[in-house]
Amino acid sequence: MSMKGHKYYLQRCIELARSAVNNGNMPFGAILVSSNGKILLEQENIEITESNCTGHAETQLMVNASKQYEKDFLWNCTLYTTVEPCAMCSGAIYWGNVGRVVFGLSEKDLLEITGDDEQNPTLDLPCREVFGQGQKNIEIIGPIANMKRKISEIYEEFFN
């Protein structure tokens, strides 16, 4: 998939993140894309409105994906997300068997924006380290440099 393709799907994640904020949640969005480029599932963060500490967009996406698709199929899919998956979300992606992750903004960059905000106590544990401890060769693409500024704007608006 080309970088143009990555930008297209990350733009949809940004739209979902903005929708999450409009719905009273944290600004995170994720989508699942098939090997032929079809968007299969979309998920925004539901943590606040559902009173669900695991309501991160990526984790909820994987809950839904694992109910609808076989693991062999998911291995050939790509999960796109606004921000690098946290350790919890990385675990859900790993156990759900998605073979590729693309993100726009790193956890480290998010931490620089949010600081010690109690709504987002960022765990500085890159998904590459989480996946690297496992037995699957999950492809990780990100952060996508030319999307960083666009995605950062959402978090700067929300957390400042």
mmCIF file with all atom_site columns, all heavy atoms in Angstrom, residues 75 94 131-138:
data_model
loop_
_atom_site.group_PDB
_atom_site.id
_atom_site.type_symbol
_atom_site.label_atom_id
_atom_site.label_alt_id
_atom_site.label_comp_id
_atom_site.label_asym_id
_atom_site.label_entity_id
_atom_site.label_seq_id
_atom_site.pdbx_PDB_ins_code
_atom_site.Cartn_x
_atom_site.Cartn_y
_atom_site.Cartn_z
_atom_site.occupancy
_atom_site.B_iso_or_equiv
_atom_site.pdbx_formal_charge
_atom_site.auth_seq_id
_atom_site.auth_comp_id
_atom_site.auth_asym_id
_atom_site.auth_atom_id
_atom_site.pdbx_PDB_model_num
ATOM 1  N N   . TRP A 1 75  ? -4.789 -11.532 9.817  1.00 0.00 ? 75  TRP A N   1
ATOM 2  C CA  . TRP A 1 75  ? -3.346 -11.392 9.636  1.00 0.00 ? 75  TRP A CA  1
ATOM 3  C C   . TRP A 1 75  ? -3.008 -10.556 8.401  1.00 0.00 ? 75  TRP A C   1
ATOM 4  O O   . TRP A 1 75  ? -2.017 -9.849  8.368  1.00 0.00 ? 75  TRP A O   1
ATOM 5  C CB  . TRP A 1 75  ? -2.668 -12.754 9.563  1.00 0.00 ? 75  TRP A CB  1
ATOM 6  C CG  . TRP A 1 75  ? -1.187 -12.592 9.424  1.00 0.00 ? 75  TRP A CG  1
ATOM 7  C CD1 . TRP A 1 75  ? -0.430 -12.806 8.297  1.00 0.00 ? 75  TRP A CD1 1
ATOM 8  C CD2 . TRP A 1 75  ? -0.294 -12.119 10.428 1.00 0.00 ? 75  TRP A CD2 1
ATOM 9  N NE1 . TRP A 1 75  ? 0.893  -12.497 8.552  1.00 0.00 ? 75  TRP A NE1 1
ATOM 10 C CE2 . TRP A 1 75  ? 1.000  -12.076 9.863  1.00 0.00 ? 75  TRP A CE2 1
ATOM 11 C CE3 . TRP A 1 75  ? -0.457 -11.729 11.757 1.00 0.00 ? 75  TRP A CE3 1
ATOM 12 C CZ2 . TRP A 1 75  ? 2.116  -11.663 10.562 1.00 0.00 ? 75  TRP A CZ2 1
ATOM 13 C CZ3 . TRP A 1 75  ? 0.658  -11.307 12.470 1.00 0.00 ? 75  TRP A CZ3 1
ATOM 14 C CH2 . TRP A 1 75  ? 1.934  -11.282 11.875 1.00 0.00 ? 75  TRP A CH2 1
ATOM 15 N N   . TYR A 1 94  ? -2.158 -7.871  18.942 1.00 0.00 ? 94  TYR A N   1
ATOM 16 C CA  . TYR A 1 94  ? -1.335 -9.083  18.902 1.00 0.00 ? 94  TYR A CA  1
ATOM 17 C C   . TYR A 1 94  ? -2.212 -10.332 19.012 1.00 0.00 ? 94  TYR A C   1
ATOM 18 O O   . TYR A 1 94  ? -2.133 -11.241 18.181 1.00 0.00 ? 94  TYR A O   1
ATOM 19 C CB  . TYR A 1 94  ? -0.304 -9.037  20.035 1.00 0.00 ? 94  TYR A CB  1
ATOM 20 C CG  . TYR A 1 94  ? 0.592  -10.247 20.087 1.00 0.00 ? 94  TYR A CG  1
ATOM 21 C CD1 . TYR A 1 94  ? 1.746  -10.301 19.321 1.00 0.00 ? 94  TYR A CD1 1
ATOM 22 C CD2 . TYR A 1 94  ? 0.282  -11.336 20.903 1.00 0.00 ? 94  TYR A CD2 1
ATOM 23 C CE1 . TYR A 1 94  ? 2.585  -11.408 19.363 1.00 0.00 ? 94  TYR A CE1 1
ATOM 24 C CE2 . TYR A 1 94  ? 1.103  -12.450 20.947 1.00 0.00 ? 94  TYR A CE2 1
ATOM 25 C CZ  . TYR A 1 94  ? 2.249  -12.484 20.181 1.00 0.00 ? 94  TYR A CZ  1
ATOM 26 O OH  . TYR A 1 94  ? 3.070  -13.590 20.216 1.00 0.00 ? 94  TYR A OH  1
ATOM 27 N N   . PHE A 1 131 ? 5.254  -5.603  20.669 1.00 0.00 ? 131 PHE A N   1
ATOM 28 C CA  . PHE A 1 131 ? 5.207  -6.651  19.638 1.00 0.00 ? 131 PHE A CA  1
ATOM 29 C C   . PHE A 1 131 ? 6.528  -7.421  19.573 1.00 0.00 ? 131 PHE A C   1
ATOM 30 O O   . PHE A 1 131 ? 6.539  -8.618  19.304 1.00 0.00 ? 131 PHE A O   1
ATOM 31 C CB  . PHE A 1 131 ? 4.892  -6.057  18.264 1.00 0.00 ? 131 PHE A CB  1
ATOM 32 C CG  . PHE A 1 131 ? 3.523  -5.443  18.150 1.00 0.00 ? 131 PHE A CG  1
ATOM 33 C CD1 . PHE A 1 131 ? 3.329  -4.282  17.421 1.00 0.00 ? 131 PHE A CD1 1
ATOM 34 C CD2 . PHE A 1 131 ? 2.414  -6.016  18.753 1.00 0.00 ? 131 PHE A CD2 1
ATOM 35 C CE1 . PHE A 1 131 ? 2.075  -3.713  17.290 1.00 0.00 ? 131 PHE A CE1 1
ATOM 36 C CE2 . PHE A 1 131 ? 1.149  -5.453  18.639 1.00 0.00 ? 131 PHE A CE2 1
ATOM 37 C CZ  . PHE A 1 131 ? 0.982  -4.293  17.896 1.00 0.00 ? 131 PHE A CZ  1
ATOM 38 N N   . GLY A 1 132 ? 7.630  -6.733  19.825 1.00 0.00 ? 132 GLY A N   1
ATOM 39 C CA  . GLY A 1 132 ? 8.945  -7.366  19.765 1.00 0.00 ? 132 GLY A CA  1
ATOM 40 C C   . GLY A 1 132 ? 9.144  -8.455  20.801 1.00 0.00 ? 132 GLY A C   1
ATOM 41 O O   . GLY A 1 132 ? 10.027 -9.309  20.656 1.00 0.00 ? 132 GLY A O   1
ATOM 42 N N   . GLN A 1 133 ? 8.324  -8.443  21.848 1.00 0.00 ? 133 GLN A N   1
ATOM 43 C CA  . GLN A 1 133 ? 8.407  -9.473  22.881 1.00 0.00 ? 133 GLN A CA  1
ATOM 44 C C   . GLN A 1 133 ? 7.585  -10.709 22.525 1.00 0.00 ? 133 GLN A C   1
ATOM 45 O O   . GLN A 1 133 ? 7.622  -11.701 23.239 1.00 0.00 ? 133 GLN A O   1
ATOM 46 C CB  . GLN A 1 133 ? 7.933  -8.912  24.229 1.00 0.00 ? 133 GLN A CB  1
ATOM 47 C CG  . GLN A 1 133 ? 8.803  -7.784  24.760 1.00 0.00 ? 133 GLN A CG  1
ATOM 48 C CD  . GLN A 1 133 ? 10.242 -8.226  24.951 1.00 0.00 ? 133 GLN A CD  1
ATOM 49 O OE1 . GLN A 1 133 ? 10.517 -9.247  25.559 1.00 0.00 ? 133 GLN A OE1 1
ATOM 50 N NE2 . GLN A 1 133 ? 11.158 -7.448  24.397 1.00 0.00 ? 133 GLN A NE2 1
ATOM 51 N N   . GLY A 1 134 ? 6.845  -10.630 21.425 1.00 0.00 ? 134 GLY A N   1
ATOM 52 C CA  . GLY A 1 134 ? 5.997  -11.744 21.023 1.00 0.00 ? 134 GLY A CA  1
ATOM 53 C C   . GLY A 1 134 ? 6.635  -12.601 19.950 1.00 0.00 ? 134 GLY A C   1
ATOM 54 O O   . GLY A 1 134 ? 7.814  -12.444 19.608 1.00 0.00 ? 134 GLY A O   1
ATOM 55 N N   . GLN A 1 135 ? 5.830  -13.490 19.410 1.00 0.00 ? 135 GLN A N   1
ATOM 56 C CA  . GLN A 1 135 ? 6.310  -14.459 18.424 1.00 0.00 ? 135 GLN A CA  1
ATOM 57 C C   . GLN A 1 135 ? 5.785  -14.181 17.021 1.00 0.00 ? 135 GLN A C   1
ATOM 58 O O   . GLN A 1 135 ? 5.953  -15.014 16.136 1.00 0.00 ? 135 GLN A O   1
ATOM 59 C CB  . GLN A 1 135 ? 5.894  -15.863 18.860 1.00 0.00 ? 135 GLN A CB  1
ATOM 60 C CG  . GLN A 1 135 ? 6.476  -16.254 20.192 1.00 0.00 ? 135 GLN A CG  1
ATOM 61 C CD  . GLN A 1 135 ? 5.959  -17.602 20.661 1.00 0.00 ? 135 GLN A CD  1
ATOM 62 O OE1 . GLN A 1 135 ? 5.311  -18.331 19.923 1.00 0.00 ? 135 GLN A OE1 1
ATOM 63 N NE2 . GLN A 1 135 ? 6.258  -17.931 21.899 1.00 0.00 ? 135 GLN A NE2 1
ATOM 64 N N   . LYS A 1 136 ? 5.172  -13.019 16.830 1.00 0.00 ? 136 LYS A N   1
ATOM 65 C CA  . LYS A 1 136 ? 4.604  -12.675 15.527 1.00 0.00 ? 136 LYS A CA  1
ATOM 66 C C   . LYS A 1 136 ? 5.376  -11.505 14.937 1.00 0.00 ? 136 LYS A C   1
ATOM 67 O O   . LYS A 1 136 ? 5.728  -10.564 15.648 1.00 0.00 ? 136 LYS A O   1
ATOM 68 C CB  . LYS A 1 136 ? 3.135  -12.280 15.672 1.00 0.00 ? 136 LYS A CB  1
ATOM 69 C CG  . LYS A 1 136 ? 2.267  -13.371 16.247 1.00 0.00 ? 136 LYS A CG  1
ATOM 70 C CD  . LYS A 1 136 ? 0.861  -12.885 16.450 1.00 0.00 ? 136 LYS A CD  1
ATOM 71 C CE  . LYS A 1 136 ? 0.007  -13.952 17.111 1.00 0.00 ? 136 LYS A CE  1
ATOM 72 N NZ  . LYS A 1 136 ? -1.374 -13.514 17.298 1.00 0.00 ? 136 LYS A NZ  1
ATOM 73 N N   . ASN A 1 137 ? 5.579  -11.543 13.639 1.00 0.00 ? 137 ASN A N   1
ATOM 74 C CA  . ASN A 1 137 ? 6.291  -10.474 12.956 1.00 0.00 ? 137 ASN A CA  1
ATOM 75 C C   . ASN A 1 137 ? 5.281  -9.450  12.436 1.00 0.00 ? 137 ASN A C   1
ATOM 76 O O   . ASN A 1 137 ? 5.002  -9.375  11.235 1.00 0.00 ? 137 ASN A O   1
ATOM 77 C CB  . ASN A 1 137 ? 7.143  -11.040 11.818 1.00 0.00 ? 137 ASN A CB  1
ATOM 78 C CG  . ASN A 1 137 ? 8.038  -9.993  11.225 1.00 0.00 ? 137 ASN A CG  1
ATOM 79 O OD1 . ASN A 1 137 ? 8.339  -8.980  11.848 1.00 0.00 ? 137 ASN A OD1 1
ATOM 80 N ND2 . ASN A 1 137 ? 8.466  -10.222 10.000 1.00 0.00 ? 137 ASN A ND2 1
ATOM 81 N N   . ILE A 1 138 ? 4.711  -8.667  13.344 1.00 0.00 ? 138 ILE A N   1
ATOM 82 C CA  . ILE A 1 138 ? 3.724  -7.653  12.982 1.00 0.00 ? 138 ILE A CA  1
ATOM 83 C C   . ILE A 1 138 ? 4.464  -6.460  12.382 1.00 0.00 ? 138 ILE A C   1
ATOM 84 O O   . ILE A 1 138 ? 5.394  -5.927  12.980 1.00 0.00 ? 138 ILE A O   1
ATOM 85 C CB  . ILE A 1 138 ? 2.897  -7.231  14.217 1.00 0.00 ? 138 ILE A CB  1
ATOM 86 C CG1 . ILE A 1 138 ? 2.097  -8.436  14.728 1.00 0.00 ? 138 ILE A CG1 1
ATOM 87 C CG2 . ILE A 1 138 ? 1.976  -6.051  13.873 1.00 0.00 ? 138 ILE A CG2 1
ATOM 88 C CD1 . ILE A 1 138 ? 1.394  -8.212  16.050 1.00 0.00 ? 138 ILE A CD1 1
#
